Amino acid sequence: MNSEYRKVSTSKVTISELMLPSHTNFSGKIHGGYILMLMDQIAFASASKYSGSYCVTASVDTVDFLNPIEVGELTTLKASVNYVGNSSMIVGIRVISENIQTGKITHCNSSYFTMVAKDSAGNNVTVPPLMLCTRDDVRRFYNSVKRLSLKKEKIVHEETFDHTSVEAIEALKNYRVKVSDELAK
């Protein structure tokens, strides 16, 4: 176990790529799946750089595609480890695009990937603890703690919520659904 603290800055990775016509979807914008692939690559690079180990993607939090990316724009992804557990790390990723003719920069999306460090046999490896050196490091760390807490609350709610109860079936009337007569009994 490596107990020597590592700075967030040791995990920072930036990649830029020119968006080509081969990266487009049917509407001529850059395909979201292609951006997700790039996000997974940078999450791997950031987590592996920080931990010194091979890392795998354990989960991806919400990815909101805020703005489309156009062909010919320079897309830049920035990533850093925001939180560490025993063998897991939360990597924050920000994606921006730049129109290289006008210089206009657009925030396209942000997401958080949970990465797990592994050894050559596929077993989890303990990662070094995190040293927070800037106010942004502290903010990102606390935001990760809050997201983890909300995720745990959601899991507990899903495990304890009785979707078959009369109240739950009755509450469905507030939505654009119709419950079959058999289910309503």
Side-chain angles (χ1 to χ4, degrees), residues 97-115:
S97 65
E98 178 182 0
N99 181 312
I100 56 178
Q101 294 171 334
T102 66
K104 181 181 178 196
I105 294 175
T106 304
H107 177 208
C108 300
N109 65 35
S110 296
S111 188
Y112 304 91
F113 281 50
T114 300
M115 307 298 289

Side-chain angles (χ1 to χ4, degrees), residues 11-14 42-43 46 77-81 91-94:
S11 72
K12 290 191 176 190
V13 177
T14 301
I42 198 169
S46 177
L77 294 86
K78 296 181 179 187
S80 65
V81 170
V91 177
I93 303 167
R94 181 177 178 91

Side-chain angles (χ1 to χ4, degrees), residues 86-164:
N86 290 319
S87 61
S88 66
M89 297 153 280
I90 295 177
V91 177
I93 303 167
R94 181 177 178 91
V95 181
I96 60 168
S97 65
E98 178 182 0
N99 181 312
I100 56 178
Q101 294 171 334
T102 66
K104 181 181 178 196
I105 294 175
T106 304
H107 177 208
C108 300
N109 65 35
S110 296
S111 188
Y112 304 91
F113 281 50
T114 300
M115 307 298 289
V116 177
K118 300 284 188 175
D119 64 16
S120 59
N123 300 310
N124 290 0
V125 176
T126 301
V127 298
L130 191 61
M131 179 181 288
L132 307 175
C133 298
T134 70
R135 294 201 187 277
D136 270 346
D137 293 350
V138 172
R139 178 182 56 80
R140 290 179 179 132
F141 180 85
Y142 272 122
N143 284 344
S144 293
V145 169
K146 185 174 183 178
R147 270 191 305 284
L148 285 170
S149 176
L150 291 171
K151 196 174 191 178
K152 287 177 184 173
E153 285 178 32
K154 180 179 178 262
I155 290 167
V156 168
H157 172 74
E158 288 174 353
E159 289 174 352
T160 60
F161 179 69
D162 180 7
H163 65 277
T164 63

Side-chain angles (χ1 to χ4, degrees), residues 15-113:
I15 60 172
S16 295
E17 186 172 325
L18 186 65
M19 294 295 109
L20 303 174
S22 61
H23 303 142
T24 59
N25 60 23
F26 295 110
S27 68
K29 308 296 182 192
I30 301 305
H31 197 288
Y34 184 72
I35 299 303
L36 284 170
M37 180 191 70
L38 293 175
M39 292 172 79
D40 192 48
Q41 288 176 6
I42 198 169
F44 168 82
S46 177
S48 295
K49 186 177 174 188
Y50 177 83
S51 68
S53 301
Y54 177 76
C55 294
V56 297
T57 306
S59 72
V60 178
D61 280 4
T62 303
V63 179
D64 293 320
F65 292 93
L66 306 173
N67 291 291
I69 300 173
E70 304 289 339
V71 170
E73 290 186 330
L74 184 63
T75 300
T76 300
L77 294 86
K78 296 181 179 187
S80 65
V81 170
N82 293 348
Y83 173 92
V84 298
N86 290 319
S87 61
S88 66
M89 297 153 280
I90 295 177
V91 177
I93 303 167
R94 181 177 178 91
V95 181
I96 60 168
S97 65
E98 178 182 0
N99 181 312
I100 56 178
Q101 294 171 334
T102 66
K104 181 181 178 196
I105 294 175
T106 304
H107 177 208
C108 300
N109 65 35
S110 296
S111 188
Y112 304 91
F113 281 50

